[in-house]
Amino acid sequence: MQKINRRGFIGKTSAGLGSAFALSQLSLPMFLKSIPELYDMAVGFQTFPIRDKVAKDFPGTMKMMSGQGFQLVEMCSPKGYAAIGFGPLVDMKPADQAVEELIQKYGKLVFHTIYAMTGDWEESQDLTQDTFHQAFKAIDAARAASGSQFREKAWLLRIALNTVRMQ
């Protein structure tokens, strides 16, 4: 550790205090704009503390929270929402997890279906990857539109067929 004399200590301390004072005089919006990563960061909230309001008036509660500046919503603990009308949330899975399961269940089927249509091994590998990429982008919307009638195998094979047709 480098030794410092009293005069050096006082000089460095005053410079630090002066800088802290100068920064404290900046307005918060101006300071945040100087660091774009902080300024552009979306602010969210968890709904569990206001779950009773969410249960009574979901659109109104979301509008109220948006009016307070919140941009993201986290529906934490879906099991806690089952009793107030959000039971389907309990069974929902994130898109990446759902597509991973689709790959495990239907990856070989999709590949061999595409291979039967193209006859080219490498192209079939690329098109299979494209198929699952399309599935990843669309699975949430497809589930929402189909509800409990969502037939993942037929949906996935339709994406594969369309992917091959587009080539």
Side-chain angles (χ1 to χ4, degrees), residues 41-94:
M41 189 180 301
V43 177
F45 69 98
Q46 291 184 346
T47 57
F48 197 75
I50 58 169
R51 64 188 174 278
D52 295 331
K53 286 184 180 182
V54 169
K56 290 177 186 168
D57 181 22
F58 183 80
T61 304
M62 294 299 115
K63 188 174 181 179
M64 174 192 73
M65 297 307 284
S66 175
Q68 293 180 3
F70 292 104
Q71 299 166 331
L72 300 174
V73 178
E74 180 182 352
M75 299 284 283
C76 55
S77 181
K79 291 180 182 176
Y81 291 98
I84 59 173
F86 291 94
L89 289 175
V90 175
D91 298 328
M92 288 186 75
K93 296 177 182 158

Side-chain angles (χ1 to χ4, degrees), residues 9 12 20 24 60 63 68 82 91 97 115 129 139 151 155:
F9 173 77
K12 288 185 180 197
S24 71
K63 188 174 181 179
Q68 293 180 3
D91 298 328
Q97 182 182 0
Y115 182 69
Q129 185 175 357
I139 194 165
R151 295 184 359 223
W155 174 76

Side-chain angles (χ1 to χ4, degrees), residues 6-161:
R6 189 175 299 161
R7 183 173 288 168
F9 173 77
I10 292 172
K12 288 185 180 197
T13 303
S14 353
L17 289 173
S19 298
F21 177 75
L23 286 173
S24 71
Q25 299 306 306
L26 294 175
S27 68
L28 185 59
M30 186 174 80
F31 177 71
L32 289 177
K33 285 181 182 177
S34 69
I35 306 172
E37 295 84 25
L38 293 178
Y39 187 70
D40 294 334
M41 189 180 301
V43 177
F45 69 98
Q46 291 184 346
T47 57
F48 197 75
I50 58 169
R51 64 188 174 278
D52 295 331
K53 286 184 180 182
V54 169
K56 290 177 186 168
D57 181 22
F58 183 80
T61 304
M62 294 299 115
K63 188 174 181 179
M64 174 192 73
M65 297 307 284
S66 175
Q68 293 180 3
F70 292 104
Q71 299 166 331
L72 300 174
V73 178
E74 180 182 352
M75 299 284 283
C76 55
S77 181
K79 291 180 182 176
Y81 291 98
I84 59 173
F86 291 94
L89 289 175
V90 175
D91 298 328
M92 288 186 75
K93 296 177 182 158
D96 54 347
Q97 182 182 0
V99 171
E100 182 67 32
E101 288 178 8
L102 288 177
I103 292 170
Q104 294 297 322
K105 281 173 85 172
Y106 303 114
K108 290 180 182 179
L109 173 67
V110 168
F111 172 78
H112 289 292
T113 302
I114 292 172
Y115 182 69
M117 290 188 280
T118 64
D120 184 340
W121 189 269
E122 288 183 19
E123 185 180 6
S124 297
Q125 289 176 326
D126 291 342
L127 292 173
T128 300
Q129 185 175 357
D130 291 345
T131 296
F132 284 106
H133 183 255
Q134 292 297 324
F136 176 76
K137 293 192 308 187
I139 194 165
D140 289 334
R143 281 184 170 169
S146 302
S148 63
Q149 302 299 319
F150 183 61
R151 295 184 359 223
E152 59 191 23
K153 183 177 176 183
W155 174 76
L156 192 57
L157 289 174
R158 174 61 63 186
I159 292 174
L161 176 66

